[in-house]
Amino acid sequence: MAAEAAAAKAAEPKPEPVVEAEPVAKVEAPAPEKPPVAATPAAPAAPPSAPAPVAQAPVREPVRTAPPAGQRPQAPVRSSGPAGQSQRSGSPYGQQNRSGPQGARPGAPAGRPGQQGNRPAPAPGARQPRGAVLSDLSSKEMDARRRALELAKQREAEDRRLFQEEEARRIAEDERRRSEREESERRQAEEAARLEMEAAARKKAEEDAARRAQARPVGRAGARTPADVIPGPPPPADDLGLRPAGRTEFAGRARSKADEDERARRPGAKVAEAAKPSRGRGDADRRAGRVNLDRALSDEDARGRSLSSMRRRQEKFKRSQQNQQREKIAREVILPETITIQELANRMSERAVDVIKFLMAQGQMMKPGDVIDADLAELIASEFGHTVKRVAASDVEEGIFNVADNPENMVARPPVVTIMGHVDHGKTSLLDALRQTSVVSGEAGGITQHIGAYQVEQNGQKITFIDTPGHAAFTAMRARGAQATDIAILVVAADDSVMPQTIESISHAKAAGVPIIVAINKIDKPDADPQKVRTGLLQHEVFVESMGGEVLDVEVSAKKGTNLDKLLEAILLQSEVLELRADPERTAEGVVIEAKLDKGRGPVATVLVQSGTLKTGDIVVAGDQWGRVRALVDDKGKQLKTAGPSMPIEVLGMQGTPGAGDRFAVVENEAKAREIADYRQRLAREKAVAKSAGQRGSLEQMMSQLTDSGLKTFPLLIKGDVQGSIEAINTALEKLGTDEVQARIVHSGAGAITESDVQLAQTSNAAIIGFNVRANAQARTAADQAGIELRYYNVIYDLVDDVKQAMSGMLSPERRETFLGNAEILEVFHITKIGKVAGCRVTEGKVERGAGVRLIRDGVVIHEGTLKTLKRFKDEVAEVPGGQECGMAFQNYEDIRQGDVIECFRVEHVARSL
């Protein structure tokens, strides 16, 4: 092995001697080749005994240059020699073989030949000495270099772009500065020209003034010469007889000072020393500002108009000469129902004074701040030559309802079905059976007191159900359900037949013009008689199919679930006949079914979308409230993003609780929604004020009503869970009122009883009634302190009965008179210390002591009072039966005569009820 290594080493070619630095510098290399290395003095040779390490030698880094743009670096070419050694091509020194660590270093300074074999090998990972040929590159290194080259190109392109942008900004800044400089030079030139013109005009004026001063005759001694004219261009003739103001001595001294300053500023001028002011004043200076007789009588020193006043006068004269009649601009004036005179003048672009003059000419003395109606404003605008456009406050509501549908976007929609009927006929139980839920178990007393909306799916088709209460107090709820529906289901119990609320539901359905489907419920009961129901409906013009009519009827049992599928098929059949379609692409519009104030969610409105699609984030207006839709919740409690036509949905995000039955619509922005809500709130306030004013009237009317009729009011403050229940309670309590007593609703609203409600009840001396709500801790404490009664109810029957009983206690009791008997006076006796006593005989009935008596003379009642004493012989008795004689005396009355008749009666006060 040693012999082979020696033979291979001997076969290697010797390294070429390194040329000196100067000859290398003289060779002209092409541009892409490696640049020449600067000449460097050779390092001193180390002594042979101690060779110096490589790190101590002054090594110079090779100068590397990137290849020109568009060329890729030449990849190294590998070739294996006979001894397994590699060769490298592409070197700037040409192709040469490496001899391992013992080989000569290209580019190294020439040394002694004996030092080549004694040089130590460089350590692994150490920096390669200058001019060393790198080892073969791996694929990873080549990819890394390629990526570095691409990044360098990208940086170069980015630098070029930034340079171009900076250059464009610099050019724009230079252009701006150049234009500013030119503008400044132009202004300076104009200013210089103006100053030259003023100097020339001033010089000419001074020469004219000097010439006039020489030609002026000298007056008498002691008289003052008139002042010079103000220097400047002569004013144009204005044909008004005006002359410029004379130049005073002060102005002359100021002008002389200005001329001296101007001469001092000229280049090369000598600045004269300022004269020191003398303390004493001359006689002329002291008398300069005084007025004496000669000066007052002379016209030469009279004060004239200033130059500015003259210019204003000349401009005014020119305007008067050019006073053409301005063309009248006719404007379209928008007139609301009421407007102030100042606002009307502004809209007409006229002066308010002119409008006032016109009104004065018509005989009306008014001020600009007075409010006039639209008719008078229209008359004024017409007189001034303007056209008028009348608008009303209700115009803000135009365009939000009844938007036209696009026939191309019309699609089929689910039918809206309202379940109506008498109380306890099984309406909610039937709906629970259809929905497979239990709503009726959550209602107090087992009766429905809320209106609800749900959706049921049958054979892939959805049906929207609206459940209405059957109690008599919920008439408005049934009316709202009939108005918002497509089909009305009339539920009649087979064992109870037609009842009052059944008849009312028929009337609501006919008034709304919707078809009726009769559901005869409770057929599973032993005493059920469906034929009796059909016969009872004939009396109210409801003809079912089984009796030759067109109204569908289905016998069902909500408890057993009998024929529920037939009822749903009948609903779908009726909806196909109606061809219900809607446009889901238009803005949403619908009706508020119910509204409440939830403790955690705020105002919540249950709405039925009738047209369009309601989306989260829409701005809606419902009644006098508006809001942005924060969330949409269906009847199963799931949040949705959109709600299409015929879908009941709960809307969260309203500013307040809207009224049940109010229509809602989507508007484009908050400003329009707020404007509509403000208008409706103002309208509601005006109606409330008018209603209260009509009920109250003037103070004299109130007092006369109380005196004449003795009307008593029962103040109440009602808080409920939903708006529909509050509406039903208010209606029921209003019906309880009579001519003597009536309920006065101080305040009603949805939500819990709060401390402010207690304060209002304390102020108005009202009782607080909570329907399905409770008072919070603060309200309970305040009510206990103020002595306010809080009464809670969850069934409307109990509430109405208690209020009725309380109002009955306010009625004045009925006075009932019972006849007891008559007695005839036989003789009148006068007894000392007692007075007159009548000796009587009871002719009819009986006479009781303490009862009421009337003294009748010749058939006329003379006196009515009570008995003071009733005696038989000398004993006081309680009563005297008929046919016996007795003695009677009246309380505080003694005008009794023989032959008078005494009528005895008893008065009873009987409590009344409503």
Side-chain angles (χ1 to χ4, degrees):
M1 295 296 290
E4 292 178 2
K9 185 175 183 180
E12 288 181 357
K14 300 295 182 180
E16 297 180 0
V18 181
V19 295
E20 296 293 332
E22 294 179 358
V24 173
K26 294 179 181 179
V27 179
E28 297 179 1
E33 294 295 329
K34 184 175 182 180
V37 182
T40 308
S49 59
V54 178
Q56 295 179 0
V59 180
R60 186 176 182 135
E61 289 292 333
V63 181
R64 297 185 182 139
T65 59
Q71 293 184 0
R72 298 182 61 183
Q74 185 175 0
V77 181
R78 299 182 180 179
S79 62
S80 38
Q85 296 179 355
S86 62
Q87 295 181 354
R88 180 165 181 166
S89 61
S91 172
Y93 300 100
Q95 295 184 1
Q96 64 181 15
N97 297 330
R98 296 188 61 189
S99 58
Q102 301 295 332
R105 184 178 61 178
R112 288 179 294 184
Q115 293 181 357
Q116 293 182 358
N118 299 329
R119 179 171 298 175
R127 178 180 293 179
Q128 294 291 337
R130 184 183 58 162
V133 179
L134 302 177
S135 60
D136 295 337
L137 299 177
S138 63
S139 59
K140 292 184 178 180
E141 293 175 343
M142 293 177 63
D143 293 341
R145 290 196 175 189
R146 190 178 299 109
R147 286 194 298 270
L149 182 59
E150 292 175 356
L151 290 175
K153 290 181 180 180
Q154 293 177 2
R155 283 195 298 271
E156 183 180 357
E158 182 68 19
D159 293 343
R160 187 180 302 109
R161 185 184 62 80
L162 294 176
F163 173 75
Q164 291 175 357
E165 293 179 356
E166 185 66 27
E167 188 68 16
R169 284 195 295 269
R170 186 185 60 79
I171 292 173
E173 184 68 19
D174 293 344
E175 183 68 21
R176 185 183 61 80
R177 290 179 180 177
R178 185 182 62 78
S179 61
E180 291 179 354
R181 187 168 55 254
E182 291 178 355
E183 181 68 19
S184 177
E185 292 176 356
R186 185 182 62 79
R187 286 197 298 267
Q188 290 178 2
E190 291 178 355
E191 184 68 17
R194 186 183 63 81
L195 292 175
E196 290 179 359
M197 291 178 61
E198 289 182 355
R202 185 167 54 251
K203 184 177 180 181
K204 182 177 180 181
E206 290 176 354
E207 292 176 356
D208 294 342
R211 192 181 307 112
R212 285 194 296 271
Q214 292 177 0
R216 184 184 304 152
V218 181
R220 61 183 179 272
R224 183 175 176 270
T225 57
D228 298 332
V229 180
I230 298 175
D238 57 356
D239 301 334
L240 296 177
L242 302 175
R243 64 181 182 85
R247 179 175 174 181
T248 61
E249 296 180 358
F250 177 75
R253 289 196 297 271
R255 178 57 60 186
S256 301
K257 180 64 176 176
D259 294 342
E260 291 177 2
D261 294 343
E262 182 67 24
R263 286 194 295 271
R265 283 195 296 267
R266 293 175 183 173
K270 294 182 180 180
V271 181
E273 294 182 0
K276 296 180 180 180
S278 58
R279 295 182 62 87
R281 296 178 58 187
D283 184 67
D285 292 339
R286 282 189 283 105
R287 297 180 178 274
R290 298 183 181 180
V291 179
N292 51 23
L293 185 61
D294 296 335
R295 191 169 179 180
L297 294 177
S298 63
D299 295 335
E300 297 176 353
D301 198 29
R303 176 177 174 80
R305 287 181 177 269
S306 65
L307 186 59
S308 300
S309 177
M310 289 184 59
R311 288 175 180 172
R312 289 194 299 268
R313 189 63 178 264
Q314 290 171 4
E315 291 175 0
K316 185 176 180 181
F317 178 72
K318 288 180 180 179
R319 286 197 302 269
S320 63
Q321 293 294 329
Q322 302 174 358
N323 189 16
Q324 291 92 9
Q325 196 70 17
R326 287 189 302 173
E327 183 180 357
K328 189 73 173 180
I329 300 177
R331 303 179 184 274
E332 185 182 27
V333 182
I334 298 176
L335 295 180
E337 296 175 351
T338 57
I339 189 173
T340 62
I341 295 178
Q342 183 66 54
E343 179 65 22
L344 176 62
N346 294 340
R347 296 188 181 189
M348 295 189 302
S349 297
E350 304 283 351
R351 296 191 307 164
V353 177
D354 298 337
V355 180
I356 296 297
K357 289 180 180 178
F358 171 77
L359 292 173
M360 291 175 65
Q362 300 297 323
Q364 298 187 28
M365 301 296 294
M366 306 186 77
K367 303 185 296 296
D370 291 344
V371 179
I372 58 177
D373 58 0
D375 296 334
L376 181 57
E378 183 177 0
L379 176 63
I380 295 172
S382 302
E383 287 293 330
F384 279 83
H386 302 287
T387 58
V388 174
K389 180 180 179 182
R390 297 280 291 269
V391 296
S394 59
D395 293 344
V396 297
E397 296 181 338
E398 290 184 356
I400 64 173
F401 292 113
N402 302 324
V403 180
D405 295 328
N406 189 357
E408 299 178 358
N409 299 332
M410 301 292 282
V411 296
R413 65 174 178 85
V416 180
V417 181
T418 300
I419 299 180
M420 308 172 71
H422 192 69
V423 62
D424 201 24
H425 276 200
K427 299 182 297 300
T428 306
S429 300
L430 179 61
L431 185 57
D432 286 343
L434 294 173
R435 297 177 62 237
Q436 297 179 0
T437 57
S438 181
V439 174
V440 69
S441 61
E443 291 286 354
I447 62 171
T448 302
Q449 301 178 104
H450 303 82
I451 189 170
Y454 316 95
Q455 254 192 349
V456 176
E457 189 168 347
Q458 171 73 10
N459 299 330
Q461 297 183 1
K462 293 183 177 180
I463 304 174
T464 300
F465 285 97
I466 298 178
D467 186 18
T468 60
H471 189 265
F474 297 97
T475 302
M477 284 191 184
R478 288 189 291 274
R480 283 198 301 273
Q483 292 294 332
T485 190
D486 301 319
I487 303 170
I489 294 183
L490 185 65
V491 179
V492 186
D495 61 341
D496 204 10
S497 189
V498 179
M499 298 299 287
Q501 268 63 57
T502 307
I503 301 171
E504 181 188 313
S505 300
I506 295 173
S507 302
H508 287 316
K510 289 184 177 180
V514 295
I516 300 175
I517 297 177
V518 179
I520 304 175
N521 196 14
K522 301 182 180 182
I523 62 171
D524 56 321
K525 284 193 171 185
D527 55 347
D529 189 1
Q531 193 61 31
K532 180 181 177 182
V533 174
R534 296 186 180 97
T535 306
L537 291 174
L538 291 176
Q539 302 176 5
H540 305 285
E541 299 180 356
V542 177
F543 306 101
V544 297
E545 283 185 341
S546 59
M547 302 188 72
E550 298 180 354
V551 177
L552 299 175
D553 65 316
V554 183
E555 296 181 5
V556 297
S557 173
K559 187 174 181 180
K560 302 291 185 179
T562 308
N563 295 335
L564 295 182
D565 53 346
K566 292 184 179 180
L567 178 61
L568 294 176
E569 289 176 0
I571 294 171
L572 293 177
L573 177 62
Q574 188 69 50
S575 65
E576 290 178 2
V577 173
L578 296 176
E579 295 183 356
L580 304 173
R581 303 176 68 83
D583 181 10
E585 304 296 330
R586 53 162 286 181
T587 57
E589 179 182 333
V591 63
V592 178
I593 297 176
E594 194 57 276
K596 62 182 179 180
L597 186 63
D598 194 273
K599 184 177 181 181
R601 300 185 296 173
V604 180
T606 302
V607 302
L608 176 66
V609 181
Q610 294 176 325
S611 302
T613 303
L614 184 63
K615 309 180 188 65
T616 304
D618 286 346
I619 301 173
V620 296
V621 177
D624 57 355
Q625 301 294 336
W626 70 278
R628 184 184 294 272
V629 179
R630 291 193 290 109
L632 298 173
V633 184
D634 63 359
D635 57 320
K636 299 178 180 62
K638 185 172 63 175
Q639 288 199 6
L640 305 176
K641 295 294 183 182
T642 59
S646 300
M647 185 171 185
I649 202 77
E650 283 188 349
V651 177
L652 279 69
M654 300 295 293
Q655 298 290 328
T657 306
D662 291 339
R663 297 182 66 188
F664 82 91
V666 175
V667 296
E668 57 270 14
N669 51 38
E670 292 186 5
K672 187 172 182 61
R674 191 178 293 108
E675 185 180 6
I676 296 172
D678 292 344
Y679 163 70
R680 292 180 175 177
Q681 290 174 4
R682 185 171 63 252
L683 208 62
R685 285 195 300 268
E686 291 175 356
K687 288 182 179 179
V689 170
K691 183 178 179 181
S692 62
Q695 291 177 350
R696 184 172 60 249
S698 63
L699 184 61
E700 293 81 3
Q701 293 175 351
M702 289 176 60
M703 297 303 295
S704 62
Q705 288 177 1
L706 290 175
T707 305
D708 297 340
S709 62
L711 180 64
K712 299 178 182 179
T713 59
F714 185 49
L716 291 171
L717 192 149
I718 301 173
K719 296 300 289 289
D721 53 348
V722 294
Q723 287 284 356
S725 300
I726 297 169
E727 180 185 25
I729 292 170
N730 291 344
T731 305
L733 295 182
E734 286 178 0
K735 292 180 179 178
L736 295 178
T738 62
D739 294 339
E740 298 181 29
V741 61
Q742 65 181 10
R744 180 169 63 92
I745 310 300
V746 177
H747 172 69
S748 62
I753 300 173
T754 61
E755 193 173 359
S756 60
D757 297 331
V758 176
Q759 294 175 357
L760 178 59
Q762 182 180 4
T763 304
S764 57
N765 196 21
I768 299 178
I769 294 178
F771 185 75
N772 286 329
V773 295
R774 293 295 182 269
N776 53 31
Q778 295 85 356
R780 287 195 299 269
T781 304
D784 293 341
Q785 293 176 355
I788 302 297
E789 183 183 7
L790 298 176
R791 307 199 71 173
Y792 303 120
Y793 299 93
N794 55 5
V795 178
I796 196 171
Y797 297 135
D798 301 336
L799 188 150
V800 175
D801 291 344
D802 286 359
V803 174
K804 183 177 181 180
Q805 185 177 0
M807 292 175 63
S808 299
M810 299 180 64
L811 291 173
S812 59
E814 182 180 358
R815 187 175 182 272
R816 187 175 299 173
E817 183 178 305
T818 304
F819 173 76
L820 295 178
N822 288 335
E824 182 182 358
I825 300 176
L826 302 178
E827 189 67 39
V828 178
F829 304 95
H830 185 79
I831 300 175
T832 308
K833 296 183 181 180
I834 294 178
K836 290 184 178 180
V837 177
C840 309
R841 179 188 293 118
V842 179
T843 60
E844 182 182 0
K846 62 179 180 180
V847 177
E848 295 180 355
R849 187 177 59 184
V853 290
R854 294 190 183 95
L855 182 63
I856 301 174
R857 183 178 299 162
D858 298 331
V860 179
V861 177
I862 302 301
H863 171 70
E864 181 176 347
T866 58
L867 289 177
K868 181 173 63 173
T869 180
L870 177 63
K871 289 186 177 184
R872 179 166 172 76
F873 300 105
K874 293 184 178 181
D875 300 328
E876 286 281 346
V877 292
E879 65 177 29
V880 177
Q884 296 184 2
E885 296 181 354
C886 61
M888 290 186 287
F890 288 85
Q891 186 79 29
N892 299 327
Y893 188 78
E894 293 186 351
D895 185 15
I896 54 178
R897 301 177 185 176
Q898 184 179 359
D900 292 346
V901 178
I902 299 174
E903 179 182 307
C904 185
F905 60 90
R906 183 189 302 121
V907 177
E908 298 176 353
H909 294 279
V910 181
R912 293 187 299 162
S913 61
L914 293 173

